[in-house]
Amino acid sequence: ATPAAITYGTALSATQLDASSGGVAGTFAYTPAAGAILAAGSQTLSVTFTPTDLADYTVQSATVTLLVNKASLTVAPNPASRLFGAANPAFSGSITGLVAGDNITATYASGATATTAVGAYSSGVNAIAATLSDPGTRLGNYTLTQNLGTLTITQASTVLSWATPAAITYGTPLSAIQLDATSGGVAGAFVYTPAAGTILTAGAQTLS
C-alpha cells in the first residue's frame, strides 16, 4: 500500500517497506533500502520478491510512491553590541533543524560601519544577517526560515585631554593658551569655567 508521507530526515523503515506476498514464503529486496534518507519530493520505492519455491511461484516486483515533505530549518543570528566608532565584533548564530550529515553552514555579518549612528538595528542592512553555504546542495530539502539578529550600537565615551597650563601672572586674562582641552578628534563645543577673558586672583585656581 502507498505509505504515509514522511518528513525529510526520516530513515526508511518497515513502516514504509512493508510489502506482502499473500502468505507465499520468500525474501523482499527493497530499493532504496531500509535506513536510506530520501530527498524531499515524490519518491519511488520498489520491491522485488523472490519466492522460496521458485518451481511453483514467479519472482514479482512492485512500486509505490512516497511523499517526502520538507523539514523545517531555522537560522538565527545571535544579538551583538558594540560602541560607536568601533569595528563590528565577530558574529555568531545557530542553525536549528539540520539533518545529520547535511553540511550546511552559516556566516554572519552586518552592513553597519564605524560611523553608523547609535541605535538598535533589528532590520535593514545594519541588522545581523546570515549567509548560508550549501556545498552538498541540501537546502532544497528544507523550508527555510532566516531570522535577523539585532546589532546594538551604544555611545562611545569622549576622552578629554587637558594638560596643566603654565603659570600666569595676575592681570593676564584667560585665553586659548590655558583653555586648550582636546576631545580626541570628536566634534563638539567646549564651555570653560571661568570663561576666556577672565582675570583670576592670585593663587591656585581651578579651571573646568
Side-chain angles (χ1 to χ4, degrees), residues 80-91 110-116 151-154 156:
S81 63
R82 66 165 173 84
L83 294 174
F84 173 79
N88 287 332
F91 298 119
S110 164
T113 66
T115 58
T116 299
L151 174 62
T152 302
I153 301 175
T154 57

Side-chain angles (χ1 to χ4, degrees), residues 95-188:
I95 301 178
T96 304
L98 196 62
V99 172
D102 287 358
N103 56 343
I104 298 170
T105 58
T107 55
Y108 304 91
S110 164
T113 66
T115 58
T116 299
V118 167
Y121 297 94
S122 58
S123 62
V125 297
N126 293 328
I128 306 167
T131 299
L132 297 181
S133 173
D134 180 26
T137 317
R138 301 295 177 87
L139 271 176
N141 296 307
Y142 296 95
T143 299
L144 179 62
T145 300
Q146 278 192 266
N147 296 320
L148 295 174
T150 299
L151 174 62
T152 302
I153 301 175
T154 57
Q155 286 183 320
S157 297
T158 304
V159 179
L160 287 177
S161 298
W162 194 4
T164 300
I168 59 175
T169 301
Y170 172 68
T172 303
L174 292 178
S175 69
I177 296 175
Q178 294 80 38
L179 310 180
D180 61 348
T182 61
S183 60
V186 177

Side-chain angles (χ1 to χ4, degrees), residues 43-68:
Q43 303 291 346
T44 298
L45 308 181
S46 64
V47 63
T48 298
F49 175 73
T50 303
T52 302
D53 179 4
L54 287 171
D56 296 311
Y57 295 98
T58 59
V59 174
Q60 290 292 322
S61 296
T63 61
V64 293
T65 299
L66 173 65
L67 178 61
V68 181

